[in-house]
């Protein structure tokens, strides 16, 4: 039996709390799922590491983790440190260093949960948002000049390349084709942005032509927000730029019940380097150390990671256990209207794992 080598980076705030809960769940899963084994190695990188060492991770950090099968990540961000140190020094350093250009976020309203939409609309949510994760509005290109003067200027340049658009479009088309509805919505803003977004449209259109069985529609990003709220059942797979998808996926998380449930994968689809799996929530300093963080996002994340590792049965079993717990409603954390703490939700999911072996999907193909 071969073990999956997982680099565990809890990071900041509630990150370590939910990720350690996830490791417990994965160990419990390995105990009941034939042939499943993990070799976890912890890395204490993040803002505390920065305070000790002046860096968010060691200089050779990427080399240390490049041989792992996957990275299980918590969150990064500290109220006393600027985001360009914390985010760029760890999470984005890994995403960009490993060219994890596809960020994939599934959203479903899990059984038993009520989101802000009317129930008949809420239960129609079954989306996967594909976010371009390497360029666009977050390319880091730009600058500031004339600081403090009336003529001070700040610029961020959105960078769109043919290669970058083509590879994410291909990934999104393939993912949409692997789902039953074979339906892709491409988000754009080419009515107002006349260069990069127009190239985005042109290149996506070329890639779409190679997928004859795929139904494709196009939405301006502003109109997309309304469609997600008013007609959630008309959406399946969504392709959007780095910034657009960042915003749309927070809306998706809210419509799906709570930020504490959403999960994400940062993938290098070529599989040359490890992909990274993380809950979508941030460090949540308001609840850090209180033991009440919702770990379900970290568990769903673990299910995505299992799919990626080629363990679809284990991924499904974990999803079924999560859904059993949400459906019963007995052990829900405060963000979902319950009173259970992190440890109690974790124990409930572990207990449900023994009974869980039917069908439910993380949203990602293997
Ligand atoms: P970031 O910028 O890093 O995404 P943020 O400030 O936008 O972070 P979070 O840190 O995720 O957002 O927190 C937003 C709110 O959601 C906070 O009130 C936080 O307590 C709550 N929250 C986030 N994650 C969870 C969780 N797992 N369980 C319970 N509440 C959560």
């Amino acid at each position: 039996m071969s073990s999956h080598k997982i680099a565990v980076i809890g990071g900041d705030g509630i990150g370590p709390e939910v990720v350690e809960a996830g490791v417990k769940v994965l160990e419990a899963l390995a105990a009941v799922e034939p042939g499943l084994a993990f070799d976890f190695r912890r890395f204490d990188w993040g803002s505390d590491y920065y305070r000790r060492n002046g860096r968010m991770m060691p200089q050779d950090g990427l080399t240390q983790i490049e041989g792992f099968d996957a990275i299980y990540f918590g969150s990064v961000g500290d109220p006393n440190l600027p985001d360009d140190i914390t985010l760029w020094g760890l999470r984005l350093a890994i995403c960009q260093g490993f060219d994890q250009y596809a960020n994939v976020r599934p959203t479903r309203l899990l059984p038993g949960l009520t989101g802000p939409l009317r129930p008949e609309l809420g239960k129609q949510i079954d989306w996967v948002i594909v976010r371009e994760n390497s360029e666009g509005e977050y390319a880091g290109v730009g600058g500031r000049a004339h600081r403090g003067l009336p003529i001070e200027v700040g610029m961020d340049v959105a960078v769109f390349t043919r290669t970058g658009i083509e590879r994410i479009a291909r990934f999104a088309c393939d993912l949409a084709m692997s789902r039953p509805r074979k339906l892709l919505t491409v988000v754009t803003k080419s009515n107002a942005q006349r260069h990069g977004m127009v190239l985005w449209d042109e290149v996506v259109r070329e890639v779409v032509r190679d997928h004859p069985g795929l139904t494709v529609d196009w939405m301006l990003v502003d109109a997309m927000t309304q469609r997600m709220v008013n007609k959630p059942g008309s959406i399946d797979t969504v392709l959007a730029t780095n910034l657009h998808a960042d915003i749309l996926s927070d809306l998706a998380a809210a419509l799906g019940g709570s930020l504490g449930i959403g999960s994400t994968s940062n993938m290098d689809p070529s599989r040359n380097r490890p992909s990274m799996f993380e809950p979508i929530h941030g460090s949540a300093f308001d609840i850090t150390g209180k033991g009440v963080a919702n770990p379900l996002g970290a568990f769903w994340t673990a299910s995505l990671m299992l799919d990626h590792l080629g363990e679809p049965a284990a991924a499904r079993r974990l999803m079924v256990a999560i859904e059993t717990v949400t459906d019963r409603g007995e052990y829900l954390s405060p963000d979902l209207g319950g009173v259970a703490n992190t440890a109690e939700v974790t124990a409930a999911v572990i207990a449900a794992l023994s009974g869980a072996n039917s069908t439910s999907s993380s949203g990602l193909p293997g």
Side-chain angles (χ1 to χ4, degrees):
M1 159 164 78
S2 74
S3 290
H4 298 294
K5 276 182 71 185
I6 312 292
V8 179
I9 306 174
D12 299 337
I14 61 169
E17 300 173 31
V18 296
V19 156
E20 284 308 318
V23 168
K24 277 201 185 95
V25 164
L26 286 169
E27 277 168 346
L29 186 58
V32 293
E33 189 69 29
L36 185 67
F38 299 102
D39 177 3
F40 293 109
R41 189 152 150 228
R42 267 89 171 171
F43 295 85
D44 66 344
W45 304 342
S47 296
D48 285 340
Y49 185 93
Y50 177 87
R51 278 184 270 271
R52 293 194 304 273
N53 302 288
R55 316 178 48 93
M56 293 294 287
M57 65 174 174
Q59 197 144 20
D60 68 345
L62 293 183
T63 314
Q64 288 189 33
I65 56 176
E66 73 185 350
F68 283 78
D69 297 321
I71 304 160
Y72 190 37
F73 191 88
S75 62
V76 69
D78 186 291
N80 301 313
L81 291 174
D83 281 346
D84 66 328
I85 287 184
T86 56
L87 197 59
W88 284 91
L90 185 58
R91 191 181 160 276
L92 291 177
I94 296 172
C95 285
Q96 299 202 343
F98 285 164
D99 203 18
Q100 295 165 341
Y101 66 83
N103 178 286
V104 186
R105 300 182 171 192
T107 305
R108 273 188 293 126
L109 193 57
L110 299 183
L113 300 187
T114 47
L117 295 183
R118 289 197 304 278
E120 71 274 17
L121 287 180
K123 67 175 190 243
Q124 294 174 10
I125 298 175
D126 185 358
W127 306 329
V128 182
I129 299 180
V130 176
R131 168 180 175 185
E132 201 295 317
N133 211 29
S134 66
E135 53 175 32
E137 306 86 347
Y138 296 172
V141 176
R144 276 179 76 170
H146 311 303
R147 284 181 189 250
L149 298 176
I151 55 165
E152 183 165 4
V153 57
M155 280 187 302
D156 282 290
V157 180
V159 175
F160 292 95
T161 65
R162 177 170 283 278
T163 307
I165 301 166
E166 192 184 329
R167 63 185 187 174
I168 196 66
R170 214 162 280 292
F171 178 87
C173 288
D174 291 344
L175 178 58
M177 286 298 287
S178 76
R179 289 169 53 89
R181 295 176 69 189
K182 304 192 189 322
L183 169 63
L184 178 70
T185 300
V186 185
V187 175
T188 184
K189 192 63 190 170
S190 51
N191 60 336
Q193 293 177 299
R194 296 162 42 190
H195 308 292
M197 286 275 69
V198 174
L199 179 66
W200 169 266
D201 290 1
E202 285 172 13
V203 176
V204 174
R205 223 170 250 125
E206 286 170 22
V207 174
V208 159
R209 261 184 237 128
D210 295 339
H211 296 78
L214 187 64
T215 306
V216 181
D217 61 57
W218 294 74
M219 291 298 292
L220 296 175
V221 63
D222 39 347
M224 186 65 181
T225 58
Q226 298 194 35
R227 181 164 159 195
M228 288 166 73
V229 172
N230 294 326
K231 289 188 175 170
S234 71
I235 300 166
D236 186 80
T237 307
V238 177
L239 169 62
T241 70
N242 215 331
L243 173 64
H244 293 167
D246 189 12
I247 297 166
L248 295 179
S249 52
D250 259 34
L251 173 59
L255 298 177
S258 164
L259 207 53
I261 302 175
S263 59
T264 246
S265 49
N266 300 285
M267 320 232 310
D268 167 17
S270 73
R271 292 179 180 258
N272 288 332
R273 302 173 198 84
S275 293
M276 179 160 74
F277 299 82
E278 57 176 336
I280 71 164
H281 60 74
S283 303
F285 273 93
D286 51 334
I287 55 167
T288 299
K290 297 185 176 156
V292 296
N294 186 348
L296 293 182
F299 299 166
W300 191 339
T301 299
S303 174
L304 292 180
M305 184 166 74
L306 288 164
D307 266 324
H308 181 74
L309 292 169
E311 300 284 0
R316 273 197 298 281
R317 190 168 187 157
L318 176 51
M319 257 347 264
V320 170
I322 294 168
E323 292 179 18
T324 304
V325 169
T326 58
D327 200 19
R328 285 193 194 132
E330 211 179 331
Y331 292 101
L332 296 180
S333 49
D335 57 307
L336 294 176
V339 293
N341 61 30
T342 311
E344 288 164 340
V345 178
T346 306
V349 170
I350 289 174
L353 277 176
S354 336
N357 52 17
S358 64
T359 54
S360 187
S361 155
S362 69
L364 261 193

